[in-house]
Amino acid sequence: IALVLIILFAINPSAPNSNDSIQVNGEAIIQVTPDIITIYYNVETKGNTSKEAEDLNSEIVINLTNEVINFGFNEKDLKTKDFNIYPEYDWNSGKQELIGYKATHSLKMELSANKTEKIGDLIDAGTNSGAGISYINFELSDELKQQYKTKAIKLAAQDARIKAEAIAEGFNKKVGK
């Protein structure tokens, strides 16, 4: 899997006379293999009271945590992203009638992309515990993002300069600063 960065760079030198300026765009495309895999879990439970919905939800999250540990990961690797408890209402009778409470807990597990063989285990951890898998992302670490973004910007600037020089040469001119 590759992430493609496209950077456009424009050269529009400010010249005293608009006849002495050109505008070009530079483009760079870099394919990068992601270095992080993130698995997002969702736990959703219902109860007659908010406490009941929360307790049922906690039970599934504890089971998920135990499953993750059983597959050789640390408890701290499983991180809460979001947690909500809210009332649910029935509006069919034309009026608001409380029918119970819903608790939702979103968690994420991040691992290095060189551990792709563990994805199946982590999916099993979710399904074995009663949690759902919201989605799986293949991502770049902040360090890798910055590294390749910088590289793409440099390449786009070089591409823009090459185009500007070709145009200037065609007019028997030179590109300035």
Side-chain angles (χ1 to χ4, degrees), residues 56 69 87 95 131:
L56 292 169
I69 291 169
K95 61 181 181 167

Side-chain angles (χ1 to χ4, degrees), residues 66-80:
N66 291 334
E67 287 283 332
V68 164
I69 291 169
N70 289 339
F71 283 118
F73 294 93
N74 294 316
E75 180 178 350
K76 67 180 172 105
D77 294 333
L78 187 62
K79 296 183 174 114
T80 293

Side-chain angles (χ1 to χ4, degrees), residues 108-133:
K108 74 176 190 173
M109 181 83 176
E110 220 175 69
L111 63 148
S112 173
N114 63 6
K115 295 183 179 178
T116 54
E117 75 281 355
K118 295 287 190 176
I119 294 174
D121 291 343
L122 291 172
I123 290 170
D124 289 345
T127 56
N128 292 346
S129 64
I133 308 296

